[in-house]
Amino acid sequence: MIIYFTGTGNSLAIAQQIAQATNDRIMPLTEAVRKDFTGEKRIGLIYPSYDFNAPPAVRNLVPRLKINPQAYVFIIIPCGAQAGNSIWTIRRLLRNKGIEVAYSHKIRVPDNSAIVFGRNPNDQIWKFSRFANRLQTIINDIIAGKHGHHFAGWSLISWIMGTDRMQEWMLRTFRPSVNENKCIACGICSRVCPMRNITVDEKAAVGPHCTACLACLHACPQQAIEVGAKSTVKTHQYRHPGIKIKDLTLR
């Protein structure tokens, strides 16, 4: 079983590619916490790196997973550049449950948070071809049941970024809001939110459980979801080219 957490489809696309090669099933993390995987011999966790750490939702939900301590567990991190402590943190949380992660790696993908800084994530599409060989290596390693950790070491800057105070500040900084003058209440933002954190009545509204994945911002056809009251540029909205909106709503 391969369990993923995704905002704009990068983790889902990688989960699909690995699952196709390993003949595994895939499932979103928000659904997986309600299942029992103690009968599975191989468990994969695929999730992005946010602010040098695993997303808050991943840190909260992974400890609730029911996994066989004897299973071959691997972690793959899709990230714009640095994985930070995103692997180390989840390894520690699983170890607290008596579960050891056998293998971990990262692979670079377009950074969907780039839009917040005025950059275009679509300019980073080149990463898919540049790191295709690494993904194939990862797949081969998983099939062979190899052990080893890559980019999984603890770092001080990542620890600082992962403190409660910094995480609260980053969540406030990257928390999307709805520009009511642009919102047409189409409901797409609500359907793609992995946390089911957006309600839509006359207008959309972001709830208190945001994990700053920016799925809503990138999916909104009216560019009505913004960060820091900064206008969202349509050409800078990103979704993995192999993933459709409907793929992100199957939860």
Side-chain angles (χ1 to χ4, degrees):
M1 174 59 68
I2 297 178
I3 300 168
Y4 68 89
F5 180 86
T6 196
T8 55
N10 288 329
S11 296
L12 171 55
I14 290 173
Q16 289 176 338
Q17 292 177 73
I18 295 176
Q20 183 177 10
T22 60
N23 196 31
D24 277 312
R25 295 175 295 149
I26 67 172
M27 185 179 294
L29 176 60
T30 49
E31 179 182 344
V33 293
R34 302 191 295 269
K35 306 292 184 179
D36 187 337
F37 300 109
T38 52
E40 297 283 342
K41 296 181 179 180
R42 178 168 59 202
I43 295 288
L45 298 173
I46 302 179
Y47 56 87
S49 173
Y50 291 173
D51 309 319
F52 297 91
N53 211 335
V58 175
R59 301 200 304 270
N60 291 334
L61 294 177
V62 163
R64 293 167 51 188
L65 290 173
K66 298 177 182 177
I67 300 174
N68 184 347
Q70 304 304 316
Y72 175 82
V73 180
F74 65 89
I75 292 175
I76 307 300
I77 305 294
C79 57
Q82 300 299 324
N85 281 345
S86 54
I87 297 173
W88 184 88
T89 296
I90 300 304
R91 283 180 63 194
R92 176 176 54 81
L93 290 174
L94 288 174
R95 182 172 289 167
N96 290 343
K97 289 167 57 74
I99 299 167
E100 290 292 335
V101 176
Y103 180 88
S104 59
H105 218 311
K106 80 166 188 177
I107 186 163
R108 292 185 65 186
V109 295
D111 179 6
N112 65 3
S113 69
I115 191 173
V116 176
F117 305 102
R119 300 195 300 270
N120 188 350
N122 297 292
D123 290 339
Q124 302 176 26
I125 297 296
W126 55 267
K127 291 179 180 177
F128 293 126
S129 57
R130 175 78 64 85
F131 291 96
N133 288 340
R134 177 179 294 177
L135 180 55
Q136 188 57 56
T137 296
I138 290 170
I139 290 173
N140 293 341
D141 287 349
I142 292 170
I143 291 174
K146 288 190 176 181
H147 287 60
H149 299 289
H150 310 267
F151 307 99
W154 181 90
S155 72
L156 179 59
I157 181 62
S158 300
W159 178 83
I160 293 172
M161 292 297 294
T163 58
D164 290 343
R165 180 172 295 183
M166 285 299 296
Q167 286 293 302
E168 290 171 5
W169 180 81
M170 292 300 293
L171 278 174
R172 288 197 304 270
T173 301
F174 287 96
R175 189 176 189 273
S177 60
V178 179
N179 184 329
E180 295 188 355
N181 295 322
K182 296 180 180 180
C183 178
I184 61 172
C186 66
I188 290 177
C189 58
S190 177
R191 294 198 296 274
V192 302
C193 176
M195 303 307 297
R196 304 183 188 274
N197 186 53
I198 300 178
T199 57
V200 180
D201 191 2
E202 293 182 0
K203 300 290 182 180
V206 179
H209 304 298
C210 182
T211 198
C213 71
L214 304 184
C216 57
L217 179 149
H218 285 282
C220 178
Q222 302 298 316
Q223 295 76 54
I225 309 291
E226 303 173 346
V227 169
K230 207 164 79 173
S231 295
T232 297
V233 180
K234 181 177 181 179
T235 56
H236 287 196
Q237 288 176 298
Y238 168 82
R239 185 172 68 252
H240 187 283
I243 300 298
K244 299 179 180 179
I245 286 287
K246 66 177 183 179
D247 299 323
L248 299 174
T249 62
L250 295 177
R251 297 183 172 85

